[in-house]
Amino acid sequence: MRLAVLGAGAVGRSVAELAGEYGHEVVALADSRHATVDADGIDVSSALERKDAGDALGSATPEELFETDYDVLVEATPTTLGDAEPGFSHVRRALEDDRHAVLANKGPVAERYEELRDLEHESAGSIRFEATVGGAIPILSTIEDSTPEAVTAVRGVLNGTANFILTRMAAEGLDYEHVLSEAQDLGVAEADPTFDVDGTDAALKFVILANVLADGGFSLEDADVTGIQNVPGSALELAAEDGRTIRLIGEATRDGVRVGPRLVPENGALAVTGTRNIVQIETRHAGSLHNSGRGAGGPETATAVLSDVGRLPPL
Amino acid sequence: MGEEIDDEPETDGGIRAYTVRLELVDEPGELLRALAPIADNGGNLLSIHHERGNITPRGHIPVEVDLECPPDRFDAVVDGLRDAGVNVIQAGAERYGEEVSVVLVGHLVETDLSETLEAIEADAAAAVVDLSLAAPDGVDAVSSARLRLAVDSGRVEDAIAAVRSIADERDLSVVEPLPGGDA
């Protein structure tokens, strides 16, 4: 497949760097201001070197990316809420041009799922978005293989920052603010960790899961979301007395989406430690499946994008 | 309320038979102590089934007591048992088949913890069987309490919803268990 990669952050650049190993060719790479485009395949490493040196990725404009001859648009621009722009328009344009689109950007699939599916029905191309839920962990493809109708609920931990903070608070008996600043020093938490600790990031992922289970109908405003900012160390201590711990757990069913701190067995499957993610997929015929692994990171998330590319039919 | 033990309908005086299930600590004198509130509140003991070999997961001994009393005295009998610190697992038709833990967080002492617990027992159709409080920064600061609730079988969701609304009224937050998450 010929890939046009939109977004040159951690995920976009890893997709461009790893595409060759997966047997694909990158014909365009763009950030918000510049692009490098070559129908015979761009030179990924020199484009990224230019960007790292503070120069433009290339001499083309992002607009020219859409005009080149590509098969798959990789939408890896930052997630935005509400109208999910400009990501939504990028995907619309690819579908209207009868190309495939693979998303790492959660916004369009969480906030405007039905519109995307309508555009897909009118297009020769199709959309895939494994990378939007749980980074490297194959979650949507597991649901697809089980068929969404046979999945009754998905629960679990899909935010590594919040999980790291709760794990450290429980292990060290420290309070939230203390552990948060430690996490920021380690680079586990961003300078502005709001969406990680207030549950928004996890909620977007569970909204996407609910959309897959119910074939649409959910957006972020339908989710019942509570963060971990008000969980004191003492709550974790009390939970531990009872063989339990507290994790930021999301739940997606056909009836709704809920994210909040919950009591789970300390040695249970969902009580993963550190930045690790896990989901429990509850099925009608096969009991519960647990998929666990790294839920974030450039190369990790890029593998999910490239697996999606591999599942696309030829155009 | 209450299940008939024999086929006889209520007598003229309105005496009915009830079954009460208790959990006792395995200590000498506990059984006697637990039975005193029954007679004190106008109940008449019919039989006691002391399952000594059968220890509950919490290390307690289940005891089943059959008694008779006028229906309007039965609540006083059960309250008398609870006031004496006896763990009542089932009283008459109430059957607490499941236990769940929740953690409450907030200004628990300022918002009157005992009143909160009473509200939970009343509105959530649950018995608070265990309570643990942690207030590392003093009673005026944010503290946490873990409650273990005995709830009617199949009523866990309702009980937790009731706990949630009681907590909302007092501006407390609830860390709920995750049903189905243990698998």
Side-chain angles (χ1 to χ4, degrees), chain A residues 137-157:
Chain A
I137 311 168
I139 298 171
L140 297 176
S141 56
T142 304
I143 293 172
E144 187 177 17
D145 289 349
S146 308
T147 77
E149 295 72 31
V151 174
T152 49
V154 183
R155 303 184 181 90
V157 173

Side-chain angles (χ1 to χ4, degrees), chain A residues 30-101:
Chain A
D31 58 21
S32 56
R33 288 177 302 144
H34 305 283
T36 172
V37 176
D38 186 337
D40 297 323
I42 63 162
D43 182 345
V44 172
S45 52
S46 48
L48 292 175
E49 272 169 32
R50 285 195 293 277
K51 185 173 167 70
D52 288 340
D55 297 330
L57 263 179
S59 53
T61 63
E63 170 65 21
E64 287 170 68
L65 171 141
F66 287 100
E67 290 159 7
T68 187
D69 207 7
Y70 67 92
D71 301 308
V72 184
L73 176 76
V74 175
E75 219 300 336
T77 64
T79 294
T80 52
L81 307 182
D83 64 5
E85 292 293 5
F88 181 84
S89 292
H90 295 154
V91 177
R92 173 165 59 199
R93 182 149 182 198
L95 289 172
E96 284 173 352
D97 291 342
D98 288 324
R99 314 291 169 81
H100 296 303

Side-chain angles (χ1 to χ4, degrees), chain A residues 6-312:
Chain A
L6 194 46
V11 176
R13 58 197 300 154
S14 290
V15 169
E17 285 168 336
L18 296 175
E21 271 185 53
Y22 284 72
H24 307 297
E25 190 179 20
V26 181
V27 294
L29 174 63
D31 58 21
S32 56
R33 288 177 302 144
H34 305 283
T36 172
V37 176
D38 186 337
D40 297 323
I42 63 162
D43 182 345
V44 172
S45 52
S46 48
L48 292 175
E49 272 169 32
R50 285 195 293 277
K51 185 173 167 70
D52 288 340
D55 297 330
L57 263 179
S59 53
T61 63
E63 170 65 21
E64 287 170 68
L65 171 141
F66 287 100
E67 290 159 7
T68 187
D69 207 7
Y70 67 92
D71 301 308
V72 184
L73 176 76
V74 175
E75 219 300 336
T77 64
T79 294
T80 52
L81 307 182
D83 64 5
E85 292 293 5
F88 181 84
S89 292
H90 295 154
V91 177
R92 173 165 59 199
R93 182 149 182 198
L95 289 172
E96 284 173 352
D97 291 342
D98 288 324
R99 314 291 169 81
H100 296 303
V102 170
L103 293 94
N105 174 354
K106 295 180 280 291
V109 257
E111 300 284 42
R112 301 177 73 176
Y113 187 86
E114 301 83 8
E115 290 174 75
L116 278 187
R117 287 301 190 194
D118 288 346
L119 288 167
E120 187 188 35
H121 288 146
E122 300 297 314
S123 173
S126 45
I127 57 169
R128 299 192 65 87
F129 43 93
E130 178 74 82
T132 62
V133 180
I137 311 168
I139 298 171
L140 297 176
S141 56
T142 304
I143 293 172
E144 187 177 17
D145 289 349
S146 308
T147 77
E149 295 72 31
V151 174
T152 49
V154 183
R155 303 184 181 90
V157 173
L158 285 177
N159 185 277
T161 303
N163 204 67
F164 176 89
I165 291 171
L166 291 173
T167 306
R168 291 287 294 162
M169 284 174 69
E172 306 297 330
L174 296 170
D175 255 316
Y176 170 78
E177 275 81 17
H178 189 116
V179 175
L180 175 60
S181 50
E182 180 197 65
Q184 285 168 325
D185 290 345
L186 289 171
V188 170
E190 290 173 39
D192 179 5
T194 310
F195 283 176
D196 293 314
V197 298
D198 77 359
T200 303
D201 174 72
L204 285 168
K205 295 163 185 173
F206 283 96
V207 165
I208 294 168
L209 287 164
N211 278 331
V212 169
L213 295 187
D215 196 22
F218 296 95
S219 68
L220 184 60
E221 66 177 17
D222 302 310
D224 173 1
V225 187
T226 308
I228 62 164
Q229 308 96 310
N230 298 323
V231 176
S234 57
L236 285 149
E237 274 171 44
L238 291 177
E241 277 178 14
D242 200 25
R244 274 150 220 278
T245 190
I246 298 173
R247 288 290 182 266
L248 182 65
I249 300 280
E251 284 183 276
T253 66
R254 287 175 183 75
D255 299 323
V257 174
R258 194 171 160 198
V259 173
R262 304 291 284 270
L263 286 169
V264 294
E266 206 168 15
N267 299 314
L270 295 185
V272 286
T273 58
T275 58
R276 202 170 181 81
N277 283 197
I278 186 164
V279 291
Q280 175 195 58
I281 300 169
E282 187 183 275
T283 69
R284 271 188 224 291
H285 312 300
S288 286
L289 307 169
H290 290 89
N291 292 4
S292 179
R294 294 190 188 174
E300 291 86 346
T301 307
T303 65
V305 169
L306 291 163
S307 299
D308 268 351
V309 172
R311 286 168 178 256
L312 288 166

Side-chain angles (χ1 to χ4, degrees), chain B residues 43-125:
Chain B
N44 180 33
L45 275 172
L46 295 175
S47 73
I48 301 160
H49 184 51
H50 192 198
E51 303 172 54
R52 212 168 179 296
N54 187 4
I55 295 204
T56 69
R58 279 176 293 157
H60 295 173
I61 297 170
V63 177
E64 200 168 274
V65 178
D66 295 334
L67 61 97
E68 58 183 11
C69 67
D72 59 353
R73 297 295 305 159
F74 183 63
D75 281 350
V77 168
V78 174
D79 289 345
L81 286 164
R82 287 192 170 132
D83 289 345
V86 176
N87 196 358
V88 180
I89 299 302
Q90 180 201 342
E94 294 178 60
R95 172 172 278 282
Y96 296 127
E98 294 186 43
E99 284 198 353
V100 286
S101 291
V102 297
V103 173
L104 299 179
V105 176
H107 290 279
L108 293 166
V109 180
E110 273 173 37
T111 56
D112 197 341
L113 183 58
S114 64
E115 208 179 277
T116 305
L117 299 181
E118 278 169 28
I120 289 172
E121 293 215 321
D123 298 355

